[in-house]
Each structure stands twice: as structure tokens, then as C-alpha cells.
Amino acid sequence: MSEASISLTESAAKRVAWIAARQQKPAILRLAVDGGGCAGFTYKFELADRPEAEDAIAETDGVKLVVDPMSLELVRGSAVDFVEDLGGASFRVTNPNAQSGCGCGSSFSV
């Protein structure tokens, strides 16, 4: 278990806590990066039951954000936020490593 070089905003932590409570799960959000999407990589979010031993962990207001080592290389320095606007409500990653992204905000390239 290592200290993450990623962060979870208060807005995102509140949303994860709300979702976790409704699903009766721990307030642990897993961020993973998969190949694919219109820009090369996509962000994948899901609730986790527990962190894995190798995961990087960031914590905000008691809510954990966990990232596996391979994904961390692509999102190091990123912030995960929860945003509500005219386009809807979603988790968003502000990734300083991304060279380009797509209009939907869920895929990027490095």
C-alpha cells in the first residue's frame, strides 16, 4: 500500500460516499485505465470492496480512491472530481499526463 500521487476532491468524495451508502458498500472508488476509447485510453470507475496490496491510495473525508500500479503510471498527478453541469453528472479526471482527449472527457491519449 503506497501513498498516492493522485487526489480526490471533496465533491467526488461526497458522491462516492453517497453511492456507497446506497449500495451498502465501503466508500472506496477504484480508478483504472483501459485501452480503447476514441483517444486511446479510457477511465473506468467502480466501487471496490477493499484496496489491493499494490494500490496507491488517496483519501479525502474518509473516502478512498485506489489505483493499481499500471494505471497509476498514466494518471500520476491527476485529480478526480465529480461535476454536475448541463451535460449531466459524472466523475472527471484532470490528468496532466494526457496529451489529448475527446469531447466526452472519458478517454485520453499520452
Side-chain angles (χ1 to χ4, degrees):
M1 179 165 74
S2 65
E3 189 60 35
S5 55
I6 53 172
S7 63
L8 185 68
T9 68
E10 284 186 30
S11 174
K14 285 178 185 170
R15 188 61 174 191
V16 171
W18 182 82
I19 293 168
R22 288 180 61 101
Q23 295 186 13
Q24 299 179 347
K25 290 188 162 208
I28 302 171
L29 180 68
R30 176 167 297 283
L31 167 61
V33 176
D34 285 340
C38 46
F41 294 100
T42 59
Y43 301 113
K44 179 180 164 191
F45 294 100
E46 64 184 11
L47 290 179
D49 292 324
R50 67 192 166 290
E52 298 297 327
E54 318 82 47
D55 285 342
I57 302 171
E59 189 167 334
T60 301
D61 298 336
V63 176
K64 290 184 171 87
L65 171 66
V66 296
V67 183
D68 67 89
M70 289 187 67
S71 295
L72 184 62
E73 291 306 310
L74 297 168
V75 298
R76 189 177 302 278
S78 295
V80 175
D81 195 9
F82 182 76
V83 182
E84 294 184 81
D85 57 26
L86 291 176
S90 63
F91 288 102
R92 298 243 173 99
V93 180
T94 303
N95 186 344
N97 305 303
Q99 299 294 320
S100 65
C102 66
C104 66
S106 63
S107 82
F108 68 102
S109 67
V110 290

